[in-house]
Amino acid sequence: MYERIACIGGASLDRKVVPLGKLRAGTSNPVESASCPGGTARNIAEALARLGCSASLFTRVGRDATGEQILAQLRRLGGELDGVDRAETSPTASYTALLDEASELVYGLADMEILERLDVGWLDPIAEGLAAHDLWILDANLPVAVLERLAALAPEGVRIYADPVSVEKSGRLASILDRIDTLFPDRLEAAALSGAEGARDAAADPARLAAAIRERGSRRVLITLGEDGVWVDDPPRHERVPAVEASTVIDVTGAGDCFLAGYVFAQAAGAAIDPVRCGLIAATFAVESPRSVPAELTAERLLARYRSR
């Protein structure tokens, strides 16, 4: 279905901090930490490349060792990096995930100043390259003006998928919902984008939230619900698809990115498989690994797991 996919947004160094016991406020906590390439758009591009899709990354990183590190792996996998701009003075973005003893996210600390400084002029030299892609995946690490310009630049026939990234940043997509074909929020991000009261209500009805978002313009809404699966609002399909149980849970960071990549992979392959279930199975690879996008995520292994579960 999709021949060339543009992933537009964040690239960062992810640091994951895991406590060695119960977290206690106001005192020192012993932890283990590790780092790996990250960023929503970069993660999705890497996952797609590992799945054999043609993925291009459009982002800005620093002209530093960290920037080179997070691009190197994608380069080795054959991802296209012509749309990556290197800043001379700003450091590459970073994201620190503090997990609890159950491997659930407690705080996500994002230093994305290099992306916050982007303006619409950033798009001028990459607009022609973007136009050669038939699917654009945007993330809300980009400023509102850049997102709005991207929506205006997208040629007729190009589909736009979008990831809100966080509750704090989700509102950046509000003005372009009518141009978004498929939105991939979690429940809290969906609540914020729905315009409903109680935007931080973790118990909000996903069916109600998805319907409200579609009324605001998005054609399709897939709300990820963690261990409860995904709520699918894709008329005439309105249902909750149960989660696929992982063999173990090491780290949930990157699960949403792998879900989106697995969904797109199923569509691009044109195979008779459900993209939502394929995405959920791709997410299990992420939670079973300390890396945001594990090397074990390949088309062959994904399809094998899909057929066996």
Side-chain angles (χ1 to χ4, degrees), residues 6-200:
C7 301
I8 315 162
S12 64
L13 183 70
D14 280 2
R15 297 183 178 91
K16 303 178 184 183
V17 181
V18 182
L20 297 179
K22 185 176 180 60
L23 281 172
R24 298 183 182 277
T27 188
S28 176
N29 289 270
V31 301
E32 289 182 343
S33 63
S35 62
C36 65
T40 299
R42 197 221 64 89
N43 284 349
I44 294 169
E46 181 184 341
L48 287 169
R50 289 192 180 280
L51 292 170
C53 298
S54 176
S56 303
L57 179 63
F58 293 82
T59 189
R60 172 176 285 176
V61 300
R63 195 172 292 279
D64 50 23
T66 301
E68 184 56 37
Q69 176 186 349
I70 67 175
L71 297 177
Q73 191 169 56
L74 189 55
R75 185 182 295 113
R76 287 193 297 270
L77 292 168
E80 297 184 27
L81 302 176
D82 290 346
V84 178
D85 177 36
R86 306 296 294 268
E88 296 293 339
T89 57
S90 298
T92 298
S94 66
Y95 172 78
T96 301
L98 173 61
L99 309 178
D100 63 18
E101 54 273 18
S103 297
E104 294 291 337
L105 182 67
V106 179
Y107 292 109
L109 309 174
D111 180 357
M112 301 287 177
E113 185 63 25
I114 189 172
L115 298 171
E116 297 294 337
R117 294 180 179 179
L118 288 175
D119 57 28
V120 294
W122 172 66
L123 297 173
D124 293 339
I126 63 175
E128 185 176 350
L130 277 170
H133 296 74
D134 49 0
L135 173 63
W136 293 8
I137 302 174
L138 315 181
D139 78 40
N141 283 308
L142 300 172
V144 172
V146 174
L147 289 166
E148 290 177 343
R149 182 60 177 155
L150 280 165
L153 283 174
E156 189 73 23
V158 167
R159 289 193 177 184
I160 297 178
Y161 289 4
D163 187 319
V165 176
S166 68
V167 174
E168 181 70 24
K169 294 180 178 178
S170 60
R172 299 181 180 188
L173 297 174
S175 62
I176 63 168
L177 283 175
D178 61 347
R179 189 61 182 86
I180 293 174
D181 180 89
T182 309
L183 185 70
F184 296 82
D186 64 19
R187 195 193 305 253
L188 293 179
E189 293 160 357
L193 276 166
S194 71
E197 294 183 7
R200 295 180 182 270

Side-chain angles (χ1 to χ4, degrees), residues 278-302:
C278 192
L280 285 165
I281 291 174
T284 65
F285 284 85
V287 302
E288 292 169 0
S289 169
R291 298 186 65 85
S292 300
V293 183
E296 292 78 12
L297 181 62
T298 66
E300 293 77 14
R301 288 172 177 157
L302 176 58

